[in-house]
Amino acid sequence: MLTLTTLASGSSGNCALLSDGETHVLIDAGISCRRICTALRGLGVEPADLAGVLITHEHHDHNDLSKVTLKPDAVVIRSADALAGGQYHTFDNVAGIRVQTVPAGNRNHDPKECVGYILTLDGVTLYHAGDTSTMPHMSVLAPRKLDWVLLPVDGIYNMDPAEASTCARRIGGKHTVPIHTDPSYQYNRTQADRLSCPGKVLLEHGQSVEL
């Protein structure tokens, strides 16, 4: 069973876990080692079992891996790796996951230093947009019929719910999850509720959803 769990999402720290029960991959790691480890163990996952980590950009609320112990052969992809040579790269085997890098950014996040990721595992596609506002590539994603789309909605450092709603309808994913709902650590349910699109799924901190 493939699941997505939001460990934290906001300007005080971002971290999500994608897991099929055997393979565990983090998307961003912007909270303390203690919080990551506690959250993972609460899900029955040891930090040393992490097979990969994907970092969308190098802001402190996304990129602190300094004290997290990973598997010896774990794959870590940072935005600099994803954008090496000024190209958006695709990684065909990150712990069995195909990872495609796509543009991300806005006035607070330099597009030359930020990425989103489209992950494919077990026939499921998940697009994690990272910290971003509307990007041109979103217009060409609809034919891919993505299963899950994660879009920021805080409206301060990223797009607001109205803009994210337009993006969600343009992308046309089966399910869309509002993330980065508040400039603090707190989950802002009111802001998340303002996302308007078919297939909206709310995922508060610590909650999981089967993909």
Side-chain angles (χ1 to χ4, degrees):
M1 179 177 65
L2 187 62
T3 61
L4 174 72
T5 305
T6 300
L7 306 185
S9 182
S11 294
S12 295
N14 295 268
C15 189
L17 175 71
L18 182 67
S19 173
D20 67 359
E22 295 182 358
T23 300
H24 316 288
V25 173
L26 288 184
I27 306 173
D28 283 329
I31 54 178
S32 70
C33 176
R34 176 180 293 180
R35 283 177 59 195
I36 290 176
C37 293
T38 298
L40 290 175
R41 287 173 178 144
L43 297 168
V45 177
E46 284 296 323
D49 292 333
L50 290 171
V53 183
L54 309 177
I55 303 296
T56 60
H57 60 290
E58 297 295 342
H59 287 182
H60 69 88
D61 57 328
H62 292 260
N63 72 344
D64 188 6
L65 274 175
S66 59
K67 296 180 181 179
V68 179
T69 301
L70 309 175
K71 291 179 70 172
D73 59 348
V75 178
V76 177
I77 300 176
R78 294 184 176 273
S79 52
D81 305 314
L83 284 169
Q87 301 293 320
Y88 291 95
H89 293 273
T90 295
F91 305 86
D92 286 322
N93 188 16
V94 179
I97 303 172
R98 186 176 190 270
V99 179
Q100 178 187 357
T101 305
V102 294
N106 52 35
R107 60 186 175 85
N108 299 303
H109 300 88
D110 187 344
K112 295 179 181 178
E113 300 174 354
C114 302
V115 297
Y117 293 108
I118 298 178
L119 288 68
T120 304
L121 176 65
D122 297 339
V124 175
T125 52
L126 181 147
Y127 168 37
H128 191 297
D131 276 13
T132 193
S133 296
T134 305
M135 298 297 285
H137 78 282
M138 293 176 179
S139 298
V140 301
L141 291 179
R144 297 190 60 171
K145 300 185 184 302
L146 301 173
D147 294 300
W148 291 86
V149 176
L150 280 62
L151 297 175
V153 298
D154 62 275
I156 297 175
Y157 299 108
N158 300 291
M159 55 188 165
D160 62 15
E163 183 179 350
S165 298
T166 299
C167 291
R169 291 190 290 269
R170 184 174 296 165
I171 295 166
K174 185 176 181 181
H175 304 288
T176 301
V177 180
I179 59 172
H180 212 303
T181 60
D182 198 87
S184 71
Y185 168 70
Q186 300 299 320
Y187 182 83
N188 189 330
R189 178 63 181 259
T190 300
Q191 193 79 341
D193 275 332
R194 289 179 178 139
L195 180 71
S196 176
C197 64
K200 178 174 71 174
V201 176
L202 301 186
L203 200 57
E204 299 195 21
H205 299 171
Q207 290 185 331
S208 301
V209 64
E210 182 177 349
L211 304 183

